[in-house]
């Protein structure tokens, strides 16, 4: 059974940093692109970042470019999101997902981890 689990959320002051982790099990991690999305109160879920198979490429939402960095350790089946210069508008539940690179099969999502940035 596939499990995807985020961790590392918490409360931080504006301008601070957090590092989120996403650990996956039950899948061949290197065959999946990994992504981060977030959902703020009263907002739709939005894309944050993707980290491709093998970490060969990354992409970011305009709202987080220059502040957030995604990277992965395939040996540990773990992907990370380093979040710097956090703003109150970054407050959201952050979700990790795994998507097969061939575009076929299931996408897997974690339960989310809460990030709260105070002013």
């Amino acid at each position: 059974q596939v499990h995807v689990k985020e961790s590392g959320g918490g409360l931080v002051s504006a301008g601070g940093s957090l590092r989120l982790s996403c650990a996956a099990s039950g899948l061949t991690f290197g065959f999946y692109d990994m992504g981060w999305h977030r959902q703020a109160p009263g907002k739709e879920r939005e894309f944050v970042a993707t980290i491709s198979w093998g970490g060969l490429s990354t992409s970011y939402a305009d709202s987080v470019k220059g502040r957030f960095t995604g990277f992965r350790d395939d040996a540990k089946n773990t992907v990370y999101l380093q979040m710097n210069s956090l703003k109150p508008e970054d407050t959201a539940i952050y979700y990790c997902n795994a998507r097969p690179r061939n575009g076929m099969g299931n996408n897997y999502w974690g339960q989310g981890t809460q990030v709260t940035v105070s002013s």
Side-chain angles (χ1 to χ4, degrees):
Q1 188 172 6
V2 174
H3 295 278
V4 178
K5 185 178 180 180
E6 306 90 341
S7 62
L11 176 65
V12 65
S13 298
S17 297
L18 285 172
R19 184 154 104 179
L20 306 184
S21 299
C22 173
S25 63
L27 54 76
T28 303
F29 191 71
F31 292 169
Y32 287 77
D33 292 330
M34 304 297 296
W36 291 94
H37 293 71
R38 67 187 182 186
Q39 187 164 17
K43 303 290 186 180
E44 299 292 328
R45 184 175 295 191
E46 64 175 342
F47 163 78
V48 175
T50 57
I51 306 92
S52 72
W53 176 27
L56 298 177
S57 65
T58 56
S59 61
Y60 302 93
D62 288 343
S63 59
V64 306
K65 285 180 180 177
R67 300 188 298 118
F68 291 10
T69 302
F71 56 100
R72 63 195 287 164
D73 185 342
D74 287 354
K76 297 180 179 179
N77 283 16
T78 301
V79 65
Y80 304 90
L81 185 68
Q82 179 67 46
M83 305 185 295
N84 298 324
S85 301
L86 283 161
K87 305 174 180 178
E89 51 262 45
D90 294 318
T91 295
I93 301 173
Y94 284 72
Y95 298 92
C96 176
N97 80 284
R99 186 185 75 244
R101 285 191 58 85
N102 64 7
M104 303 294 291
N106 294 328
N107 288 8
Y108 299 99
W109 292 85
Q111 297 277 25
T113 185
Q114 177 71 50
V115 172
T116 302
V117 184
S118 66
S119 60

